[in-house]
Amino acid sequence: RTLTLLISLPVIALVFSLVQERNRTLAEIATGSSALYAILIIASAITFMKRERARLWLDQRFFREEYDARKILLSLATMVVNQLDEALHPTMAAILVSGIDEGRMSPVTVLYGSAETLPLDGGLVSMLRWSDDPLEIVLTDPRSPARRLPPEEREWLECTGAVLLVPVVGEDRSLIALIALGERRSEEAYTAEDRQLLASIAAQMALGFD
């Protein structure tokens, strides 16, 4: 918040100066204090452009451990998604993790599509938490448990196009993350060997994500 305030200071100073000069025309203001306003406008532009670099510097300087952990998490998730894309060729691949947004599972990397957050207390997470095996999703089957999910979660499945969810379970049986995969581009179903591979990858991911 302090960083956000510092970045906003030149803009606040510019607005404050204009309010003080509200009885004068813009031409009079520009003529009388052109240097001051030029400096404030330039300072505002520079701070806006440098805000992301400043945030990263702040993370590295004062929150090194958290910064490194986040970088490792993102690089690991990206690597896994890219490897899955090469091996299985899904129409969509995403990894969601807990611990970023309170009460939600948040996407950290998505390939070929988009994915929103999922509630940790929802039906999907409950089904995944107690299983080490990938969960197949068939919304078109009236007998499928997925048909009894809350509307928000059914909409999430439809929007992402996910047909296979792979749980990443920690030692305390908490759901640390999940891998969401769309249909294979070959239109072939995921085989038993594919599921075994995915379960093995999830077990290895659990070590790193823990």
Side-chain angles (χ1 to χ4, degrees), residues 186-198:
S186 64
E187 299 183 359
E188 296 288 335
Y190 288 99
T191 64
E193 289 79 8
D194 295 335
R195 295 166 189 269
Q196 187 175 359
L197 171 66
L198 289 164

Side-chain angles (χ1 to χ4, degrees), residues 56-134:
L56 292 176
W57 175 86
L58 188 69
D59 272 350
Q60 293 180 57
R61 177 66 179 81
F62 296 104
F63 307 101
R64 184 79 227 181
E65 185 178 343
E66 292 86 347
Y67 176 78
D68 288 344
R70 185 165 59 250
K71 283 185 68 177
I72 293 169
L73 171 67
L74 291 173
S75 62
L76 178 58
T78 302
M79 180 185 68
V80 170
V81 163
N82 289 335
Q83 292 296 321
L84 290 176
D85 181 45
E86 291 182 12
L88 302 175
H89 309 291
T91 54
M92 185 279 300
I95 293 179
L96 291 83
V97 300
S98 61
I100 295 179
D101 297 315
E102 186 175 355
R104 312 284 295 185
M105 298 208 72
S106 309
V108 291
T109 183
V110 184
L111 193 64
Y112 308 127
S114 61
E116 300 296 327
T117 60
L118 266 179
L120 275 171
D121 58 354
L124 271 177
V125 171
S126 297
M127 287 191 288
L128 289 165
R129 183 175 284 125
W130 303 108
S131 173
D132 293 324
D133 299 321

Side-chain angles (χ1 to χ4, degrees), residues 156-181:
W156 185 90
L157 291 168
E158 291 171 356
C159 291
T160 59
V163 298
L164 196 67
L165 300 178
V166 187
V168 180
V169 181
E171 290 185 358
D172 59 353
R173 300 306 305 172
S174 63
L175 190 67
I176 311 172
L178 70 86
I179 305 170
L181 297 175

